[in-house]
Amino acid sequence: MPRPPGHGPGFEVRRQKIIDVAASLFAEQGYAATSINDLGRAVGLAKGALYYYIVSKENLLIEIQSRVMRPLLSRARQIAELDEDPLLRLRLLSESLLTIIFRRLDHIWVYEHDYRSLSGDELETLLGQRSDFEHLVSGLLAEAVDQGIFRALQPRLATLQFLNLHNHTYQWVRPEGQWDAAFLSREYCATLFRGFGASDNALPDVEERAAAFKRDRPDLPLDPEAEWTPAAVGG
Amino acid sequence: MPRPPGHGPGFEVRRQKIIDVAASLFAEQGYAATSINDLGRAVGLAKGALYYYIVSKENLLIEIQSRVMRPLLSRARQIAELDEDPLLRLRLLSESLLTIIFRRLDHIWVYEHDYRSLSGDELETLLGQRSDFEHLVSGLLAEAVDQGIFRALQPRLATLQFLNLHNHTYQWVRPEGQWDAAFLSREYCATLFRGFGASDNALPDVEERAAAFKRDRPDLPLDPEAEWTPAAVGG
Amino acid sequence: MPRPPGHGPGFEVRRQKIIDVAASLFAEQGYAATSINDLGRAVGLAKGALYYYIVSKENLLIEIQSRVMRPLLSRARQIAELDEDPLLRLRLLSESLLTIIFRRLDHIWVYEHDYRSLSGDELETLLGQRSDFEHLVSGLLAEAVDQGIFRALQPRLATLQFLNLHNHTYQWVRPEGQWDAAFLSREYCATLFRGFGASDNALPDVEERAAAFKRDRPDLPLDPEAEWTPAAVGG
Amino acid sequence: MPRPPGHGPGFEVRRQKIIDVAASLFAEQGYAATSINDLGRAVGLAKGALYYYIVSKENLLIEIQSRVMRPLLSRARQIAELDEDPLLRLRLLSESLLTIIFRRLDHIWVYEHDYRSLSGDELETLLGQRSDFEHLVSGLLAEAVDQGIFRALQPRLATLQFLNLHNHTYQWVRPEGQWDAAFLSREYCATLFRGFGASDNALPDVEERAAAFKRDRPDLPLDPEAEWTPAAVGG
DNA sequence: AATGAATGAGCATTCATTCAT
DNA sequence: TATGAATGAATGCTCATTCAT
């Protein structure tokens, strides 16, 4: 991102502070609902001055996204390349991801909510980074399957479960609450690793019973929007 | 035969179609970024005529939310009250939730993304409904713990894992794709029920090894934003 | 005002009722702030049906104006032409004017407030009628001066005083209140006839004292917007 | 030298000019019928720039009202508290009121016509100020009655006559015309003070004759809307 | 005689951005 | 560096009016 030439020493510092504030405002009110005026007020700078530091509102979004995505991806790559078994690497990657969610909750809100406000090029970059991250996870999961640690999972579906579990955390987590990133990581991985594990200790009949239920109770369809049929009175 | 005052027979039909279109636009571009003009264009109606059918933009949001939340909650309550074991009920509730996500994906997008655009009263109602749904899940999980089917879980955290796994699905699911709601429900429940299950077959040492890693490799902190310390060369 | 041909017997009745309602709404909220929708609701007719009876919103204004102005002018002419002394005729005309103010208070509100919403032609007609009425008053006042009943007044200024006193009544009068038109007319005429009367019983020195005050107290200018000068401390 | 944040030196000047123009437009066309676009055009500023100076359209109304009401009330209070006889104070107050009508004719138009466009709080304030002013007049008139300068008048009705006579002036006065505020005040007070005066020089029989007329001429009712009865031909 | 539906212009207001100073 | 001032397009919404039925 080329900056106009000839900036004083404080320029970058202030610029970063402005992005901080923008992230917090965007997280609170949403990107579209936050005006440049709001930002100026929160920063204590007139609108005109603001534009000395920022190039556009959309650019703030880009910077916020990459603040989160760049270090995460870089650390994730390091972890994935460690010479450790896949389970440990997954566990470390999980904690890494949760750590940044805890530390940059507002950035994550913006990242998760407003990435669709980006236009073509930038959106593509971002989606590329997301995809890169997903592939790191996929790779580790596949290794675990290959090594027989996990049962035979569809790798894509296992990845999505891993990501669902972690990524949705931003919706409810309180960084100052009772749980920290390490704890959540331990819990999530306990669930996932047991859940994905090879040993066949599942609760074996629940699927059959579910199938039976669907067959025997047409009056209570699982589709919430389906009509309610009065229960068949058995003979 | 003069019709009673109010609206003609086609009114409600068209109104519902307009809400359909709104849901799809809001899902695509976000609520704040979609203008009433956009909606009019998509519907093929001038702005003025649009307002013959809708009461306000925000009201569209409300209608979309409740289209999703009302049937879901009602069906979820029926399921929770069934005289079946908690595992089966969780499984049915899971499929119910995923079914509505598949059938009303755009509504769910709006529901998940733009609920914060609602003002006081409506937001409160919505959050109340969300909370009601969560309590249904919590109750079933607690039953499973009580009956010794699941190990001793923090009920709140188990609930959040259940919800993370399901709710984040809207982010990537393709209703016309290879998987359907029943399949995803089976997979998610397999993961969760094994993961939450009582039998102690976890992969026991991963936590110790993670702790050791954090101790031995201060050069590779899990926080993606922490400084990279050149690896200590051990002696 | 040509009406479309072929109306049933109830047409004119209903039309008049609609104008009644319009007058009351316009009086309450102002012409510009009252919508045709408001009118439809108040009348119990859909907008479309309304236009079967009215030609336009502005036309309602015209009808309301002439409902008030036509009978008033006609009666005023009859009174002015009576073979009675000017004082009596002024007194009768005063009561006539106040009577219509009492009976048609809402029309008068509209008449006084919103006549400027009329466009060229109609406005001219209205102003012509106003002017006709004023000339009737002027004529009677001039007669009274000629006959020596009133002192030598500038006829225009006397007319304006007569009209000010009467016309502003609509601003505060309550038709169901303690006073009726006859009473107000008696009081107004008592004031005006004494005030205009020939006998020189004025309170003679108030003008001199007013002049003195203005001279001696430059610190308290009568112009409310003039600067306050600290009072000159006398020696 | 960086100026403190807020507004430059020309801001308030321009702001006041905008309110001036608004007052003149509102007076000409009415508040509701004047658009912010009209104002922008008249001021030579794009709509966006206009809002840099004004807070809202309604706020313009408020500013206009208080421009007129604040100085008037303040000056009126000073006059009412003077150590002079009530007649002189009434005369001075009359001139004060007329002076502001002359100087701020457009403001007065707005004040008199569009006060009902104000919403709750502001309307209450305004009505309170109007009432305060009326009480000042009432007090002086009551003093004059108590001192026997005026005959026994109903104080409320006397006040309303005073106000009718003065306040309706804005409807026809031309500030650049032949009359000025001092002249009108002299004339109005001459009428009122004689009219209210104690000496019993009224034209005593006009009321009896009016009563007789009403009795004897049922064919010519004073109500302009009453049916015309063909005159009874007397014997 | 009356309706529901539609229109297009207009409304007050907000916004991201620019620029001379 | 920072400001106040300006712009023009866009926003959600209302309105008087029309018209096929």
Side-chain angles (χ1 to χ4, degrees):
Chain A
M1 241 144 284
R3 260 176 245 128
H7 288 307
F11 179 87
E12 193 54 27
V13 176
R14 186 140 207 190
R15 202 178 98 87
Q16 292 301 330
K17 255 182 212 145
I18 288 171
I19 302 176
D20 288 346
V21 175
S24 122
L25 289 180
F26 290 171
E28 224 172 287
Q29 322 170 357
Y31 170 76
T34 302
S35 79
I36 288 288
N37 239 343
D38 293 342
L39 181 55
R41 202 173 312 118
V43 161
L45 226 40
K47 255 188 304 187
L50 219 53
Y51 273 88
Y52 179 71
Y53 293 99
I54 72 178
V55 358
S56 73
K57 194 185 171 191
E58 191 185 358
N59 185 261
L60 285 170
L61 200 49
I62 297 169
E63 301 249 18
I64 290 168
Q65 313 271 24
S66 68
R67 265 187 180 187
V68 141
M69 212 47 195
R70 226 166 9 195
L72 175 61
L73 246 185
S74 135
R75 186 60 36 108
R77 286 206 182 93
Q78 291 166 0
I79 290 170
E81 286 162 5
L82 285 175
D83 186 24
E84 306 279 356
D85 83 304
L87 234 49
L88 177 58
R89 281 177 286 156
L90 277 168
R91 170 65 177 77
L92 298 176
L93 194 133
S94 155
E95 188 168 333
S96 252
L97 176 51
L98 287 165
T99 301
I100 206 167
I101 291 174
F102 270 75
R103 288 226 349 201
R104 292 275 197 184
L105 186 53
D106 47 13
H107 288 65
I108 299 286
W109 259 104
V110 177
Y111 171 81
E112 293 284 345
H113 265 69
D114 294 309
Y115 67 89
R116 277 136 89 252
S117 298
L118 290 176
S119 61
D121 267 8
E122 305 296 349
L123 183 55
E124 221 158 301
T125 304
L126 181 73
L127 294 180
Q129 292 172 325
R130 289 192 172 217
S131 163
D132 288 354
F133 186 81
E134 289 178 25
H135 279 94
L136 293 176
V137 176
S138 291
L140 294 177
L141 290 169
E143 280 189 55
V145 170
D146 286 350
Q147 299 182 13
I149 309 178
F150 289 166
R151 55 193 159 91
L153 301 158
Q154 291 194 38
R156 174 87 188 125
L157 184 49
T159 305
L160 290 167
Q161 291 185 69
F162 182 97
L163 293 172
N164 278 4
L165 198 54
H166 287 82
N167 284 341
H168 210 66
T169 304
Y170 81 93
Q171 278 275 357
W172 49 261
V173 81
R174 310 291 219 91
E176 307 303 336
Q178 52 175 327
W179 302 325
D180 63 9
F183 172 78
L184 278 192
S185 177
R186 198 181 327 140
E187 294 291 317
Y188 287 179
C189 287
T191 303
L192 289 174
F193 294 171
R194 288 163 173 251
F196 290 167
S199 73
D200 194 8
N201 66 321
L203 307 134
D205 59 342
V206 82
E207 283 304 327
E208 282 92 66
R209 281 154 54 216
F213 182 89
K214 290 202 242 179
R215 184 186 339 110
D216 300 339
R217 295 289 303 270
D219 62 302
L220 208 164
L222 297 188
D223 182 346
E225 292 185 294
E227 280 303 310
W228 170 278
T229 316
V233 180
Chain B
M1 198 173 307
R3 228 179 288 114
H7 293 298
F11 179 87
E12 193 55 27
V13 176
R14 184 138 208 191
R15 199 177 99 88
Q16 293 301 330
K17 255 182 211 148
I18 289 171
I19 302 176
D20 289 345
V21 176
S24 120
L25 288 181
F26 290 171
E28 225 172 283
Q29 323 172 352
Y31 170 77
T34 302
S35 81
I36 287 289
N37 250 340
D38 292 343
L39 181 55
R41 205 173 309 118
V43 164
L45 230 35
K47 246 187 317 183
L50 217 55
Y51 273 91
Y52 180 69
Y53 294 97
I54 72 178
V55 357
S56 72
K57 194 187 172 191
E58 191 185 357
N59 186 262
L60 284 172
L61 198 49
I62 296 168
E63 300 245 20
I64 291 168
Q65 311 271 24
S66 69
R67 265 187 180 187
V68 142
M69 211 44 192
R70 227 169 4 196
L72 175 60
L73 246 185
S74 134
R75 187 57 37 108
R77 285 205 184 95
Q78 291 167 358
I79 291 171
E81 286 163 6
L82 286 176
D83 188 24
E84 307 278 355
D85 84 304
L87 233 49
L88 177 60
R89 281 177 285 157
L90 277 169
R91 170 64 177 77
L92 298 176
L93 194 132
S94 156
E95 188 168 334
S96 250
L97 175 51
L98 287 165
T99 300
I100 207 166
I101 291 174
F102 270 75
R103 291 226 347 201
R104 294 272 196 188
L105 185 52
D106 45 14
H107 288 65
I108 299 286
W109 259 104
V110 177
Y111 171 81
E112 292 285 344
H113 264 70
D114 292 310
Y115 67 89
R116 275 138 90 252
S117 298
L118 288 176
S119 63
D121 266 9
E122 306 294 348
L123 183 54
E124 222 158 300
T125 302
L126 181 73
L127 294 180
Q129 292 172 326
R130 290 193 172 215
S131 162
D132 288 353
F133 186 81
E134 289 179 25
H135 279 95
L136 293 178
V137 176
S138 290
L140 294 178
L141 291 169
E143 280 189 56
V145 170
D146 287 349
Q147 299 182 12
I149 309 177
F150 288 166
R151 55 191 159 95
L153 300 157
Q154 289 196 38
R156 174 90 188 124
L157 184 49
T159 304
L160 290 167
Q161 290 185 70
F162 181 98
L163 294 171
N164 278 6
L165 197 53
H166 286 82
N167 285 340
H168 209 65
T169 305
Y170 80 94
Q171 279 275 355
W172 48 262
V173 81
R174 307 294 218 92
E176 308 303 334
Q178 50 176 331
W179 302 324
D180 62 8
F183 172 78
L184 278 192
S185 177
R186 197 178 332 136
E187 293 292 315
Y188 286 179
C189 287
T191 305
L192 288 174
F193 295 171
R194 288 161 173 255
F196 290 167
S199 76
D200 193 10
N201 67 322
L203 307 135
D205 60 341
V206 82
E207 283 304 327
E208 281 92 63
R209 282 153 56 216
F213 181 91
K214 290 200 243 181
R215 186 186 336 109
D216 300 340
R217 295 289 304 269
D219 62 302
L220 209 165
L222 297 187
D223 181 347
E225 292 185 294
E227 281 302 312
W228 172 276
T229 316
V233 180
Chain C
M1 243 145 284
R3 259 174 248 129
H7 286 309
F11 179 87
E12 192 54 27
V13 175
R14 186 139 207 191
R15 202 177 98 85
Q16 293 302 329
K17 255 181 211 146
I18 289 172
I19 303 175
D20 287 346
V21 175
S24 123
L25 289 180
F26 290 172
E28 224 173 286
Q29 322 171 354
Y31 170 76
T34 302
S35 80
I36 288 288
N37 239 344
D38 293 343
L39 181 56
R41 203 174 311 119
V43 161
L45 228 38
K47 254 187 306 186
L50 219 54
Y51 272 89
Y52 178 70
Y53 293 98
I54 72 179
V55 358
S56 74
K57 194 186 171 191
E58 190 185 357
N59 186 261
L60 284 171
L61 201 48
I62 297 170
E63 301 249 19
I64 290 168
Q65 312 272 22
S66 68
R67 266 189 179 184
V68 142
M69 212 47 194
R70 228 169 5 196
L72 175 61
L73 247 185
S74 135
R75 186 59 38 109
R77 285 204 183 95
Q78 291 167 358
I79 290 170
E81 285 162 5
L82 286 175
D83 186 24
E84 306 278 355
D85 82 304
L87 233 50
L88 177 58
R89 281 178 286 156
L90 279 169
R91 170 65 177 77
L92 298 176
L93 194 132
S94 154
E95 188 168 331
S96 251
L97 175 51
L98 288 166
T99 300
I100 207 166
I101 291 174
F102 270 75
R103 289 228 347 204
R104 293 274 198 184
L105 186 52
D106 46 14
H107 287 66
I108 298 287
W109 259 103
V110 178
Y111 171 81
E112 292 285 345
H113 265 69
D114 293 311
Y115 68 89
R116 276 136 89 251
S117 297
L118 290 175
S119 61
D121 268 8
E122 306 295 348
L123 183 55
E124 222 157 302
T125 303
L126 181 73
L127 295 180
Q129 292 171 324
R130 288 192 173 217
S131 163
D132 288 353
F133 185 81
E134 289 177 24
H135 279 94
L136 293 177
V137 176
S138 291
L140 294 177
L141 290 169
E143 279 189 56
V145 171
D146 287 350
Q147 298 180 15
I149 308 177
F150 289 166
R151 56 194 158 92
L153 301 157
Q154 289 196 40
R156 174 89 187 124
L157 184 49
T159 304
L160 290 167
Q161 290 186 69
F162 182 97
L163 294 171
N164 278 5
L165 198 53
H166 286 81
N167 284 341
H168 209 65
T169 304
Y170 81 95
Q171 278 275 356
W172 48 262
V173 82
R174 309 291 219 92
E176 307 304 334
Q178 50 175 330
W179 301 325
D180 62 9
F183 173 78
L184 278 192
S185 177
R186 195 179 332 137
E187 293 291 314
Y188 286 0
C189 287
T191 304
L192 288 174
F193 295 171
R194 287 164 175 252
F196 289 167
S199 74
D200 194 10
N201 66 321
L203 308 133
D205 58 342
V206 83
E207 283 305 327
E208 282 92 66
R209 282 154 54 217
F213 182 89
K214 292 200 241 180
R215 185 186 338 109
D216 299 340
R217 295 289 303 269
D219 61 302
L220 207 165
L222 297 188
D223 182 346
E225 292 185 292
E227 281 302 311
W228 170 279
T229 317
V233 180
Chain D
M1 197 174 310
R3 229 181 284 115
H7 293 297
F11 179 86
E12 193 55 28
V13 176
R14 184 138 207 192
R15 200 178 98 87
Q16 293 300 332
K17 254 181 212 147
I18 289 172
I19 302 176
D20 288 346
V21 175
S24 119
L25 287 182
F26 290 171
E28 225 172 282
Q29 321 171 353
Y31 171 77
T34 303
S35 81
I36 287 288
N37 248 341
D38 293 342
L39 181 55
R41 205 173 309 119
V43 163
L45 229 37
K47 249 188 312 187
L50 217 54
Y51 273 90
Y52 180 69
Y53 293 98
I54 72 178
V55 357
S56 72
K57 195 187 171 190
E58 190 185 359
N59 186 262
L60 284 172
L61 198 49
I62 296 168
E63 300 245 21
I64 291 169
Q65 311 271 23
S66 70
R67 266 187 179 186
V68 142
M69 210 45 192
R70 226 167 8 196
L72 175 60
L73 246 186
S74 135
R75 188 57 39 107
R77 285 206 184 92
Q78 291 167 358
I79 290 171
E81 285 162 4
L82 286 175
D83 188 23
E84 305 279 356
D85 83 305
L87 234 48
L88 178 57
R89 281 178 285 156
L90 277 169
R91 170 64 178 77
L92 298 176
L93 194 134
S94 155
E95 188 168 334
S96 252
L97 175 51
L98 287 165
T99 301
I100 206 165
I101 291 174
F102 270 75
R103 291 224 349 200
R104 294 273 197 185
L105 186 52
D106 46 13
H107 288 65
I108 299 286
W109 260 104
V110 177
Y111 171 81
E112 293 284 345
H113 265 68
D114 293 310
Y115 66 91
R116 274 138 91 251
S117 298
L118 289 176
S119 62
D121 266 9
E122 305 294 347
L123 182 55
E124 220 158 302
T125 303
L126 181 73
L127 293 181
Q129 292 172 326
R130 289 193 171 216
S131 162
D132 287 354
F133 186 80
E134 289 180 25
H135 279 94
L136 292 177
V137 175
S138 290
L140 294 177
L141 290 170
E143 280 189 56
V145 170
D146 287 349
Q147 298 182 14
I149 308 176
F150 288 166
R151 56 194 158 92
L153 301 158
Q154 290 195 39
R156 175 88 188 125
L157 184 50
T159 304
L160 290 167
Q161 291 186 69
F162 182 98
L163 293 171
N164 278 5
L165 197 53
H166 286 83
N167 284 341
H168 210 65
T169 304
Y170 80 93
Q171 278 275 357
W172 49 261
V173 81
R174 308 293 221 88
E176 307 303 335
Q178 50 175 330
W179 301 324
D180 63 8
F183 173 76
L184 278 192
S185 176
R186 198 179 330 138
E187 293 292 315
Y188 287 179
C189 286
T191 303
L192 288 174
F193 295 170
R194 288 163 173 253
F196 289 167
S199 74
D200 193 10
N201 65 322
L203 307 136
D205 60 342
V206 82
E207 284 304 327
E208 282 93 64
R209 281 155 53 215
F213 182 90
K214 291 200 242 181
R215 187 187 336 111
D216 299 341
R217 295 291 303 271
D219 62 303
L220 208 165
L222 298 187
D223 182 346
E225 291 185 295
E227 282 302 313
W228 171 277
T229 316
V233 179

